[in-house]
Each structure stands twice: as C-alpha cells, then as structure tokens.
Amino acid sequence: MSRDELLAWIPSGHPDESLVREIHFDRLPVHVAVIMDGNGRWAAQRHLPRVEGHRAGIDSVRDSVETAARLGIQVLTLYAFSMENWKRPASEVGTLMQLLKRYLRSELDTLLSNDIRFRVIGRMEDLAPDIQEELHAAIQRTSSSRGMLFNIALNYGGRAEIVDAARRAMTSGVRPEDLDEQRFASFLYTAGQPDPDLLIRTSGEMRVSNYLLWQIAYSEIYVTDTLWPDFRRRHLLEAVLAYQKRERRYGGISSPAVIGAK
Ligand code: FPP
C-alpha cells in the first residue's frame, strides 16, 4: 500500500493524515503482534459487565485489521484467547467464543475484499466443534488471499507451542545433530512466517504473558496505556512511528537505519 492509497481511505482533514505523512513506508514492521489487554478495566470504568469490554474490543479488532492491511503490514497476529483464559468464568469464556464467531461471520467479506488471509495459531483442536467449524470456514474461504496474513492466537500458549514444536521435531525424523534454530522454527505454529518486528501491548502492563515466546526474541516492544476497546487506527500508526524511531541491534553494535534491515 502506498501513502497515497492509505490517505485516500482517511477522510480529508482528519488528524490521522499527519501521522500517515510521518510514516516511512520503506521501513514498516513486516510483522506486528498485539496483546489486546484492558477490556475488563474499560468495562469497569463504565460500570458495565466485563463482557461489554470484550464486545467493544471487537470494533478495535476491526479497525486494527483494516488499518494494518491498508498500511502494508504483511503479518498481523492478535492474542484473542490464551490457554490460561479458560480459568475465567464459563460465561465470560462463552461470550468470548460467541463474539469470535460473530466477528468471523460479519467480517469475512471485509477480509476478502482486503485480500487478507486468515489463520489460527494455538491448540484449535480443543475448542468447541462449532467454533472450530467457523474458524475452518474462514481459513478456507480466505486461503487464496495474497495480502496481509492475519493470525489469531486462540487457545494459545507460548510454552505449549514450544512443547508442540519439540514433539513434532522428535517425530519428524530429523536427527538431533541437524536440529538448529531455523529448523526448530519450522515446527512452530508460525512456520514460514517472519518473527514479529513490533509487539504492541495495550493497557500499560509490562508483561509478555506467554505470547510468542520463541518469536519475540528480537521484537521491539511498545506498551501503550490505551485500553484495547479504545485502540484505533491512530494508536496503531503511533506504534509504527515509535517503532521507526527505534534502533535495532540484534545483539550487535549500534548502527543507524537498521530498522527493517533484518
Ligand atoms: C484482555 O482483556 C482481552 C482478552 C482476554 C480477550 C480479547 C478478545 C477480544 C478483543 C474479543 C474477541 C477477539 C477477536 C479477535 C474477534 P482483559 O479481560 O484481560 O482486561 P483486564 O486486564 O482489564 O481485565
């Protein structure tokens, strides 16, 4: 996506225009991963039940997915449900699953019209059959899209992913002496995908919460106090701008303009 194309999507005179003009389109993060946090607090601030925060968070998902695709991000990974989230009340878990189902139904056309390919990372096989069906349908329907890859992390745990990868490696026939980092990564749920360049966490918490533990080894971390239901295009653009001001070293020495030169 070019700057002009993105600007054509933003109403003329909108404050986001100036943010777009500041972005270096030749140095975009290739993969952006997001920990969507703060739904419960957003609801509590409004004296609403927690699930209303999740419901409101769907608008942020919609806005972020479309913004990322139009910006030219190649991979977007959203953390929608962790393996630890099963500890929440059954009613909250049920609502989250229903919201996901509804989101997929209502957004499929938008995903297709934006050429977005949908994928799930996590132990999908443990989800309810109707949810799995909906997910498989969305994966199937968007499988020939060639634009942004949109991963949803569902029933996901970073350590579990590493264990699953180790199991696959052990049964794959690969000899221990042939197993290196690159080979091991090919057994992860994200096989073939670039590692996240930018990890965004909303609601101000300084934790990685068992998210993409292998893949975020060299990610730039951006934490915003904005609660997820308030997160919009502007916030994503601000995160990308902050990323573009960082200097990435990968454990090496300081050198200018290394962003994106992975
Ligand atoms: C964290 O907020 C958020 C979640 C556990 C779920 C995120 C899910 C959605 C935004 C809706 C469904 C997603 C998709 C992709 C359609 P929290 O409840 O932990 O908030 P708190 O820390 O303020 O309590």
Side-chain angles (χ1 to χ4, degrees), residues 35-43 50 53-58 60-61 78-82 85 88 92 95-97 99-101 103-104 118 150 152 154 201-203 205 207 227-229:
I35 302 177
M36 309 183 284
D37 194 16
N39 295 354
R41 275 161 283 172
W42 184 93
R50 292 179 55 79
H54 299 318
R55 214 181 297 283
I58 295 287
S60 313
V61 171
L78 302 184
Y79 203 1
F81 193 84
S82 73
N85 286 155
R88 296 185 177 212
E92 184 175 339
T95 303
L96 274 168
M97 294 297 162
L99 285 173
L100 173 72
K101 202 165 155 177
Y103 168 82
L104 290 173
F118 176 75
F150 170 28
I152 285 197
L154 267 179
R201 180 162 191 149
T202 60
S203 93
E205 305 292 343
R207 287 191 288 274
L227 304 176
W228 179 252

Side-chain angles (χ1 to χ4, degrees), residues 18 33 59 81 99 101 157 170 212:
S18 55
D59 292 335
F81 193 84
L99 285 173
K101 202 165 155 177
M170 285 160 85
L212 301 172

Side-chain angles (χ1 to χ4, degrees), residues 8 10-11 22-24 41 69 73 101-102 131 137 140 148 153-154 216 219 231 251 260:
I10 296 174
E22 281 179 59
I23 287 179
H24 296 277
R41 275 161 283 172
I73 301 299
K101 202 165 155 177
R102 212 173 308 156
I131 305 294
Q140 222 284 319
M148 186 178 80
L154 267 179
I216 61 168
S219 303
F231 194 91

Side-chain angles (χ1 to χ4, degrees), residues 102-241:
R102 212 173 308 156
Y103 168 82
L104 290 173
R105 286 198 182 163
S106 66
E107 289 305 297
L108 196 57
D109 287 344
T110 312
L111 297 183
L112 287 167
S113 64
N114 284 286
D115 204 22
I116 294 169
R117 189 153 52 100
F118 176 75
R119 283 274 315 271
V120 174
I121 58 168
R123 292 186 179 165
M124 198 166 111
E125 63 280 9
D126 296 338
L127 299 172
D130 63 316
I131 305 294
Q132 288 192 45
E133 221 171 276
E134 207 68 41
L135 292 166
H136 280 300
I139 293 167
Q140 222 284 319
R141 292 277 308 278
T142 62
S143 61
S144 44
S145 294
R146 289 290 163 258
M148 186 178 80
L149 174 61
F150 170 28
N151 295 310
I152 285 197
L154 267 179
N155 194 25
Y156 176 88
R159 288 183 174 179
E161 177 180 25
I162 293 169
V163 169
D164 285 352
R167 285 185 183 147
R168 281 192 210 135
M170 285 160 85
T171 53
S172 71
V174 62
R175 292 183 309 175
E177 58 272 32
D178 293 335
L179 193 60
D180 56 12
E181 291 182 12
Q182 203 186 343
R183 197 77 179 265
F184 188 79
S186 74
F187 295 106
L188 294 168
Y189 305 147
T190 52
Q193 301 182 22
D195 289 339
D197 302 289
L198 172 62
L199 170 66
I200 301 173
R201 180 162 191 149
T202 60
S203 93
E205 305 292 343
M206 302 287 181
R207 287 191 288 274
V208 293
S209 299
N210 202 15
Y211 192 41
L212 301 172
L213 295 182
W214 175 282
Q215 298 89 336
I216 61 168
Y218 288 103
S219 303
E220 293 295 326
I221 301 181
Y222 176 86
V223 177
T224 169
D225 285 335
T226 304
L227 304 176
W228 179 252
D230 292 325
F231 194 91
R232 287 293 180 276
R233 175 173 64 202
R234 170 169 76 86
H235 303 97
L236 183 57
L237 297 174
E238 283 169 354
V240 169
L241 282 169

Side-chain angles (χ1 to χ4, degrees), residues 1 3 23-29 244 259-261:
M1 174 72 52
R3 173 177 285 114
I23 287 179
H24 296 277
F25 280 76
D26 54 341
R27 291 196 271 125
L28 287 172
Q244 293 188 330
I259 291 173

